[in-house]
Amino acid sequence: KASLALFATIATRTAAFAPVAQPSFTRNMSTNAVPLANGAMSFDRVCREWRCKYTGDKATSESLEEISKLVDEYLPQIKAASKDATVNRLVCGACLDFKLMTTVPLEDFGPWEESGHAPEAEFLEKLKAIEGVSQVETQTITNMVI
């Protein structure tokens, strides 16, 4: 009787460490989603990031103010990349990063890429001309809301 009680005690205390079957990855994605990581994730939206460094304190930076004016000037053209485009602005006051991220559905990315990510060339040329702006770069990445 004592050994049965001991077994019951051990069994109930170790059940928390028993392996649990993991559910397979399921996420509501469009039918044209591209799988990544052995199917553990996928994407159906692609982002074009424009980034640079600015100078000065984020609250009083003249270069950041000029970047803001440039974004305002080009925002309608940027959003024209796709009727479903989203544009995000990221500013880091500690490392002086400015990023503008335009995300479009996968099916709209190809035509936008073929156009040179319009108005990218013109925007970046003006961005580089702003005093205090440096390290102007671009990157294409996936960008999914999860």
Side-chain angles (χ1 to χ4, degrees):
K1 191 172 186 175
S3 60
L4 184 58
L6 180 59
F7 174 76
T9 300
I10 292 171
T12 58
R13 290 187 180 170
T14 59
F17 301 103
V20 176
Q22 296 294 321
S24 63
F25 178 80
T26 58
R27 188 165 316 245
N28 294 330
M29 290 292 194
S30 67
T31 56
N32 66 344
V34 177
L36 299 170
N38 299 314
M41 61 178 90
S42 63
F43 71 95
D44 63 0
R45 295 187 57 80
V46 182
C47 172
R48 185 68 171 174
E49 178 183 272
W50 304 338
R51 62 179 176 257
C52 67
K53 296 285 189 178
Y54 65 92
T55 54
D57 179 82
K58 66 183 178 292
T60 58
S61 170
E62 291 180 14
S63 59
L64 190 57
E65 180 182 359
E66 291 304 310
I67 292 169
S68 177
K69 291 175 185 176
L70 185 62
V71 171
D72 289 345
E73 177 185 345
Y74 280 89
L75 193 57
Q77 292 175 57
I78 295 167
K79 288 184 173 185
S82 166
K83 68 177 181 63
D84 295 314
T86 58
V87 180
N88 296 93
R89 181 194 66 224
L90 294 83
V91 177
C92 178
C95 62
L96 306 178
D97 280 345
F98 172 84
K99 299 179 181 187
L100 195 66
M101 301 174 70
T102 304
T103 303
V104 299
L106 182 60
E107 62 269 12
D108 293 342
F109 186 76
W112 187 40
E113 184 177 40
E114 289 172 9
S115 77
H117 304 105
E120 179 176 277
E122 192 176 318
F123 180 91
L124 295 179
E125 183 179 323
K126 289 184 176 183
L127 183 63
K128 289 175 184 177
I130 296 173
E131 187 175 335
V133 167
S134 62
Q135 297 180 25
V136 175
E137 300 173 332
T138 63
Q139 183 176 6
T140 299
I141 53 178
T142 67
N143 186 4
M144 294 297 297
V145 175
I146 55 171

